[in-house]
Amino acid sequence: MTTRILVTGGAGFIGSHYVRTLLGPAGPGEVAVTVLDALTYAGNPANLDEVRDHPQLTFVKGDICDGELVDELLAEHDEVVHFAAESHVDRSILGATDFIRTNVLGTQTLLDAALRHRVGRFVHVSTDEVYGSIDTGSWPETDPLSPNSPYAASKASSDLIALAQHRTHGLDVRVTRCSNNYGHHQFPEKVIPLFITNLLDCKKVPLYGDGGNVRDWLHIDDHVQGIELVRTNGRAGEVYNIGGGTELTNKELTALLLEACGAEWDTGVEYVADRKGHDRRYSVDCRKARDELGYEPRKDFATGLAETVSWYRENRAWWEPLKKRAAL
Ligand code: NAD
C-alpha cells in the first residue's frame, strides 16, 4: 500500500534532498509525497527539478500556519516529515517574529491537525542547537534543553511541543536533533556555501570572532539516511541525535575551504565582530541512533566537501540569484 507523506519545507535545502531521495532510485518505493512549502526567500522550486515530473509528487505552495490548508492536507496523509522553518541564526538575531510564527505556531498548527486526523507518524526535524553550548563531551538525548539564540529557542519550543503532543495525546511523534548540515543546494547565506561562493567570486570570507567556535559537520546524505531510519524504525515519543562525526573549528573549516578554492588566508579572510551570543561548541552523542537504528554517518568529510565545492563551481546559475536574495 502506498504511504502518503506530507513533507513540509520540501523546497528548502534538507527537505528537498529528502524528497529527491524518497522518490529517487534509492527510495523506499510505495510512497506518494506532497511538499507543503511557502517558498520564502529560502525556498526554491528549482531544488525539486530532478523529481518535478514524478507521478508521486504533488507540490502545494502554502504556509504551515494556515490552519484550514493544513487540516485539508492532513486529512489525506498518513505521515508527516516536518522540515519547514526559519532556519538562519543571524536572521533570528535581527528579528525573531518570523521564527516564533513559523517554527512554533506553524509546528503547533501541524501537530493539532495531525492529531485530529490521527496521522500515523510525525517526524519533527529539530537541531542540536536546542541543547545550548558544550565545552567538552557530547549531549545525550536526555540532557535538558538550554537554547541561546532566538532561532534555537524557537526550535526548542517546537521540539518540546511536539513531544508534548505525544505524551499528552499519544500522537506518534519522533524528534531528530541533528548537527550542522552541508552539501549541495544549501542556501548561500550559511557558512559553507557562503564561503565557497565568496571565494569563487574572489571575495573575502567573514570569519566570526576568533574562529574558535566548533561545529560537527553532517553531510545531507547522512542526515537523510538518519531521518529515514527514524521514520521507518524509530519509536514513538523518542528523540534521536544525528551527527556527522567531523568536529572542526570555524578556522579549520575556513582553511579547508580556502585550499579547495585555491585562495590564501591573508587575502581571503576578513575577521569580523563575533555573532551575538555565539555558541562555542555543539556536540551530539549519537549512540542511541547507532545502537537502535544502525545509524552511521558514511560520508567522509574531505570527499563531501570536495563534492560540495565542485557542485557550487558548476552551478552558478543556481546560486547567483540567491546571493542577491540573501542580502540581509
Ligand atoms: P531552509 O531554510 O533551507 O528551508 C526551509 C524551508 O521551509 C524553505 O523551503 C522555506 O520556504 C520553508 N518555509 C519557511 N517558512 C515556512 C512556512 N511558514 N510554511 C511553509 N514553508 C515554510 O532550511 P534547512 O536548512 O533545509 O533546514 C530544514 C530543517 O532542518 C529546519 O527545521 C531546520 O531548523 C533544521 N535543521 C537544519 C540544520 C542545517 O544545518 N541546515 C541543522 C539542524 C536542523
Side-chain angles (χ1 to χ4, degrees), residues 133-261:
S133 184
I134 189 167
D135 289 336
T136 52
S138 305
W139 296 291
E141 290 83 351
T142 45
D143 264 22
L145 306 193
S146 182
N148 294 314
S149 74
Y151 161 71
S154 71
K155 292 295 290 186
S157 308
S158 53
D159 178 317
L160 293 175
I161 290 166
L163 290 170
Q165 203 84 343
H166 169 74
R167 290 175 190 149
T168 307
H169 299 291
L171 187 71
D172 181 335
V173 170
R174 301 146 191 224
V175 172
T176 60
R177 295 183 187 144
C178 66
S179 57
N180 276 48
N181 286 229
Y182 75 100
H184 49 86
H185 290 93
Q186 186 169 28
F187 196 87
E189 65 185 351
K190 305 282 168 56
V191 64
I192 288 185
L194 173 71
F195 280 23
I196 295 172
T197 54
N198 275 16
L199 293 169
L200 292 178
D201 276 346
C202 301
K203 289 187 187 146
K204 289 192 173 195
V205 298
L207 187 59
Y208 278 137
D210 65 358
N213 303 69
V214 175
R215 299 293 181 261
D216 166 49
W217 290 99
L218 169 66
H219 191 270
I220 40 167
D221 286 352
D222 287 323
H223 189 193
V224 162
Q225 178 219 151
I227 290 172
E228 260 309 86
L229 287 169
V230 171
R231 181 181 75 82
T232 53
N233 298 325
R235 288 180 293 136
E238 293 296 321
V239 178
Y240 297 91
N241 288 337
I242 301 176
T246 302
E247 276 193 30
L248 294 171
T249 63
N250 286 343
K251 232 174 156 174
E252 290 167 330
L253 175 68
T254 302
L256 291 173
L257 290 169
L258 288 167
E259 194 189 339
C261 296

Side-chain angles (χ1 to χ4, degrees), residues 9-15 36-40 42-44 62-65 82-87 101-102 125-128 151 155 178-181 186-187 190 223:
F13 164 50
I14 308 168
L36 171 61
D37 197 297
L39 298 181
T40 66
N44 187 350
D63 192 326
I64 57 167
C65 300
H82 175 35
F83 295 93
E86 287 295 335
S87 68
R101 184 182 169 278
T102 288
V125 179
S126 186
T127 167
D128 59 1
Y151 161 71
K155 292 295 290 186
C178 66
S179 57
N180 276 48
N181 286 229
Q186 186 169 28
F187 196 87
K190 305 282 168 56
H223 189 193

Side-chain angles (χ1 to χ4, degrees), residues 30 40 152 200 245 276 283 299 322:
E30 307 226 321
T40 66
L200 292 178
K276 283 186 186 173
S283 180
K299 183 69 94 174
L322 302 185

Side-chain angles (χ1 to χ4, degrees), residues 98-143:
D98 289 346
F99 288 75
I100 304 304
R101 184 182 169 278
T102 288
N103 301 1
V104 183
L105 195 58
T107 300
Q108 184 224 324
T109 305
L110 286 164
L111 287 163
D112 285 351
L115 185 63
R116 268 195 302 281
H117 297 289
R118 279 283 154 195
V119 159
R121 288 171 189 170
F122 190 113
V123 180
H124 175 74
V125 179
S126 186
T127 167
D128 59 1
E129 299 191 30
V130 298
Y131 293 114
S133 184
I134 189 167
D135 289 336
T136 52
S138 305
W139 296 291
E141 290 83 351
T142 45
D143 264 22

